[in-house]
Amino acid sequence: MSAIDDLPPLRQVIADHSLSARKSLGQNFLLDLNLTAKIARQAGDLSGTDVLEIGPGPGGLTRGLLSEGARKVLAIEKDTRCLPALEEIAARYPGQLQIIEGDALDVDPLAHLTPPIRVAANLPYNVGTELLVRWLTPPIWPPFWQSLTLMFQREVAERIVAAPGSKAYGRLAVLAQWRCDARIAMSLPPEAFTPPPKVSSAVVHLSALPAPKFEADPDVLSRVVAMAFNQRRKMLRAALKGLGADIEDRLQAAGIKPTERAEQVPIEAFCALARAVAAR
Ligand code: SAM
């Protein structure tokens, strides 16, 4: 019997449904149910909460989320081979697991979920960053989700939580930390996965703040930060010259030296710059 429910162990599920991992779908499965329950616990108190899971695969994390008390899990999976295994979990938790076959980039999860909502996933690496950026840049804030608990390659996780002045600091750090608390909650070696990926992984936990830490127009901030880090080795007055001839004045109005590089600029100063640019 497995550690968290009376369904078969995941190695048996994989064998029963011939779920050999496909690289093209970013399939590195977690087969230790103690570990998937531990990841589910990083998502916080799930009672009375709907959870969006992208890429449930054979369902290890899905089982963790349900056994940890999620009110409902909406699981979006692109690989049709996984659906029978997921249906077995749905039968064990009647009315609590909704499975959608499809590409997570094309599905509107809000049509199926009721707040409060948390997101938890061992993301496929090929769409992970794109989904994160979408979740971090919704049309309105606070977003539809209370928290994101997401597995990434360690290097991506470090970019999300990076501090100014560090090599990993960039657009992802600003977009993530501007209006969320972000931290690395767990580190996982390659051997935790089947098959093992080439690099280590980490679970990042982001909780949405009710309001941004510093005021800024989200579109202007996104544009400024994308431009600044696109040419991160250049001085800001050169990297940002596309924002207008008066960019030096705007930088100075925001308290940023025009000769500084993006890597040195704290999030608060980027927000001040976005305000200075928008006020023009
Ligand atoms: N959650 C499972 C686990 O932890 O063992 C599987 C994680 S595996 C890293 C990523 C999963 O995402 C795979 O099941 C894969 O088929 C699925 N996937 C890949 N691209 C997807 C997409 N665009 N939309 C939805 N699911 C996708």
Side-chain angles (χ1 to χ4, degrees):
M1 193 181 295
S2 72
I4 57 171
D5 54 39
D6 50 10
L7 288 158
L10 284 160
R11 282 192 192 283
Q12 191 183 323
V13 172
I14 297 264
D16 289 351
H17 298 282
S18 308
L19 296 177
S20 53
R22 288 193 180 151
K23 215 175 162 185
S24 59
L25 286 167
Q27 291 182 336
N28 300 99
F29 299 133
L30 290 167
L31 301 186
D32 175 348
L33 288 163
N34 288 312
L35 185 57
T36 59
K38 195 171 164 193
I39 296 167
R41 283 197 289 279
Q42 304 302 325
D45 182 4
L46 299 182
S47 53
T49 300
D50 281 5
V51 180
L52 168 64
E53 185 190 3
I54 307 300
L61 180 58
T62 321
R63 286 162 66 171
L65 294 166
L66 288 162
S67 74
E68 287 302 315
R71 176 176 62 196
K72 170 181 170 173
V73 174
L74 174 69
I76 305 174
E77 175 56 63
K78 197 172 175 182
D79 185 354
T80 49
R81 297 178 309 152
C82 298
L83 302 184
L86 295 168
E87 290 299 349
E88 286 172 11
I89 305 171
R92 166 70 181 72
Y93 292 92
Q96 282 181 270
L97 174 58
Q98 182 180 356
I99 305 151
I100 295 187
E101 179 206 333
D103 188 328
L105 295 171
D106 300 333
V107 177
D108 172 15
L110 277 182
H112 309 277
L113 294 170
T114 312
I117 298 164
R118 294 184 188 268
V119 180
N122 174 14
L123 287 173
Y125 73 91
N126 46 347
V127 290
T129 311
E130 173 157 4
L131 284 167
L132 174 66
V133 170
R134 280 192 194 186
W135 290 327
L136 291 175
T137 53
I140 47 164
W141 197 269
F144 75 86
W145 48 269
Q146 279 190 341
S147 66
L148 308 172
T149 305
L150 306 170
M151 180 89 68
F152 286 102
Q153 295 178 3
R154 174 95 208 174
E155 176 257 322
V156 178
E158 281 170 1
R159 279 165 46 206
I160 296 166
V161 304
S166 66
K167 242 176 120 183
Y169 183 61
R171 177 170 166 259
L172 267 191
V174 177
L175 292 184
Q177 297 173 42
W178 170 50
R179 39 192 186 178
C180 297
D181 283 328
R183 64 185 166 83
I184 291 185
M186 276 172 79
S187 295
L188 287 92
E191 312 81 76
F193 301 85
T194 303
K198 288 204 176 70
V199 293
S200 296
S201 301
V203 174
V204 180
H205 183 79
L206 298 114
S207 26
L209 298 169
K213 286 178 198 160
F214 316 105
E215 237 183 86
D217 178 283
D219 293 336
V220 179
L221 179 65
S222 275
R223 198 152 44 91
V224 165
V225 171
M227 239 186 213
F229 284 102
N230 224 352
Q231 305 190 64
R232 56 191 297 142
R233 295 216 185 115
K234 284 196 176 168
M235 292 178 194
L236 281 169
R237 69 170 167 224
L240 296 178
K241 68 172 189 277
L243 287 176
D246 63 347
I247 191 60
E248 286 215 32
D249 298 343
R250 301 292 136 195
L251 284 161
Q252 260 148 5
I256 303 170
K257 283 198 207 111
T259 52
E260 266 189 290
R261 289 174 175 79
E263 200 173 291
Q264 304 298 331
V265 176
I267 295 171
E268 182 172 6
F270 272 124
C271 291
L273 179 58
R275 291 197 301 274
V277 168
R280 194 165 46 199

